[in-house]
Amino acid sequence: EVQLVESGGGLVQPGGSLTLSCAASGFAFNSAALSWVRQAPGKELEWLCTIASGGTSSCSTDVVKGRFAISRDNDRSILYLKLDSLNEGDTAMYYCAKNAPGRSFAQYPRGRGTQVTVSS
């Protein structure tokens, strides 16, 4: 069973940074493509970044605008998302997800999320 547990969220001031972590188990982490997605209250789920098993990554240019970085530790089965230059529009629940071929990102299995709140 795929298990994904996010952590590292919290309250941060505008312009601040956070690093989110996702501990994974129940599948072959080393060979899986993984993603981060987020959902703000009243808004649709947004795709942020994806990282392939070998480390190649891509992020949404519209949403992320070069401010976030995805990485992974295959030895420890942990996925990371570094968030920089945060603004109030980044307030959302952040989820890590295991990519599922042939499905949209909204259908990827994901964890319960970690809340990021950006406020002064």
Side-chain angles (χ1 to χ4, degrees):
E1 179 186 1
V2 173
Q3 291 194 342
L4 301 163
V5 180
E6 301 91 340
S7 61
L11 175 64
V12 62
Q13 292 187 342
S17 298
L18 281 175
T19 298
L20 308 182
S21 300
C22 173
S25 61
F27 63 97
F29 184 90
N30 288 11
S31 60
L34 301 160
S35 297
W36 285 97
V37 298
R38 74 181 184 185
Q39 189 165 28
K43 295 189 176 181
E44 293 186 351
L45 195 68
E46 289 182 311
W47 170 73
L48 298 176
C49 299
T50 292
I51 187 165
S53 58
T56 303
S57 64
S58 62
C59 293
S60 168
T61 54
D62 291 341
V63 175
V64 171
K65 300 177 183 178
R67 300 177 297 130
F68 301 171
I70 189 172
S71 60
R72 62 192 297 160
D73 183 339
N74 284 344
D75 290 335
R76 299 175 63 195
S77 297
I78 299 177
L79 180 70
Y80 298 100
L81 186 68
K82 177 73 161 48
L83 313 174
D84 290 319
S85 302
L86 288 162
N87 58 63
E88 293 181 350
D90 295 315
T91 294
M93 187 71 79
Y94 285 69
Y95 303 90
C96 66
K98 178 182 178 296
N99 289 31
R103 296 185 179 182
S104 73
F105 68 87
Q107 298 174 305
Y108 295 167
R110 56 183 185 260
R112 299 182 68 176
T114 186
Q115 176 69 38
V116 172
T117 301
V118 184
S119 175
S120 56

